[in-house]
Amino acid sequence: RETPLHLVQTPANWPSMHPSSQVPTETSNPVEGVDYPVNQMLSVETGTIELGKPPNFPSFGWDNEYGHRTKEVPPFEASKFM
């Protein structure tokens, strides 16, 4: 969430929270590697990428997706899971 919590309000027409939401459970404090997988970082080597699509591409695309461009990408790390 980007909005400061003090500015967040529950809409008046929303129902109350279910009582079970207030009962602590074993997964109330999830543990990495037990309740969800360890999200390791993967190394990605430097390389060349090609971006873009032709004007006659058969499906929808935003205006910034069209054209063609080749870029060199330096090495980086990315998480295995989002």
Side-chain angles (χ1 to χ4, degrees):
R1 168 185 6 251
E2 293 183 19
T3 304
L5 191 55
H6 72 278
L7 297 177
V8 177
Q9 297 178 8
T10 302
N13 295 329
W14 277 19
S16 299
M17 297 280 286
H18 190 273
S20 66
S21 68
Q22 306 302 316
V23 178
T25 65
E26 289 181 19
T27 58
S28 292
N29 295 308
V31 177
E32 181 181 39
V34 176
D35 298 303
Y36 59 91
V38 175
N39 194 5
Q40 68 192 74
M41 298 300 284
L42 304 174
S43 295
V44 180
E45 295 179 8
T46 189
T48 303
I49 60 166
E50 293 189 29
L51 300 169
K53 61 170 85 175
N56 60 349
F57 197 78
S59 68
F60 175 79
W62 298 105
D63 59 350
N64 63 343
E65 295 180 272
Y66 291 97
H68 184 265
R69 170 167 88 151
T70 303
K71 293 290 277 184
E72 280 294 317
V73 179
F76 65 95
E77 290 188 333
S79 59
K80 184 173 182 178
F81 309 110
M82 286 187 161

